[in-house]
Amino acid sequence: MKKALLTVVFAAACISLYSRPALAHHGGSAYDTAHPLTLVGTVKDFQFIQPHPLITLEAKDDQGKVVEWSVEMTAPNHLVHYGWSGKRLKPGDQITVMGSPSKNGLKVLNLRKISYTNGAEIPLGPPPEPGQQ
């Protein structure tokens, strides 16, 4: 009985150690949350994939040059509850995105808010509580 219990405890400890890197994936340390960035541009591609859907966005920089950004979204199993599917965005859509840019200088944005350029918001989650907007 003791041997079986020790085996179970050892197995649980091993599983716990090996699962920690997977949990670390969801940290925000790769993004500059202190300096949110807003981009206005055209959807080049939209991939509704695991673990994070990706929007390829063409936006102009300060000099007017078109720059391609990868906009990373939250998990698709969360987004489907708010009307998202692989058909929600299509190439040519004009959108505004706000989020945290990558700290390493790559053109990657962790999405926090999205809307069409006409101002119509596209929900990413439940509406904010009153007074928390």
Side-chain angles (χ1 to χ4, degrees):
M1 182 72 171
K2 278 187 176 183
K3 186 175 181 180
L5 180 60
L6 280 174
T7 302
V8 169
V9 169
F10 180 74
C14 288
I15 289 170
S16 174
L17 288 173
Y18 285 109
S19 66
R20 292 185 67 83
L23 294 174
H25 163 80
H26 289 93
S29 63
Y31 298 100
D32 185 358
T33 57
H35 300 96
L37 182 64
T38 299
L39 301 170
V40 178
T42 304
V43 174
K44 180 178 179 183
D45 188 35
F46 176 56
Q47 298 176 30
F48 199 68
I49 57 173
Q50 291 284 359
H52 300 283
L54 295 172
I55 302 167
T56 303
L57 184 70
E58 294 179 329
K60 291 186 178 178
D61 65 12
D62 294 338
Q63 289 77 39
K65 179 182 167 196
V66 175
V67 178
E68 193 170 285
W69 283 80
S70 291
V71 181
E72 184 178 282
M73 302 176 75
T74 191
N77 58 343
H78 170 82
L79 292 169
V80 296
H81 297 291
Y82 301 98
W84 282 87
S85 72
K87 297 178 182 178
R88 183 67 187 241
L89 295 175
K90 60 188 180 312
D93 282 349
Q94 301 291 308
I95 61 171
T96 301
V97 294
M98 189 277 293
S100 302
S102 175
K103 287 181 180 177
N104 64 10
L106 295 176
K107 301 298 183 195
V108 178
L109 188 78
N110 187 313
L111 185 66
R112 293 290 171 242
K113 191 173 183 180
I114 182 171
S115 63
Y116 291 108
T117 53
N118 67 5
E121 284 202 37
I122 306 170
L124 294 172
E129 294 289 326
Q132 293 186 0
Q133 293 183 7

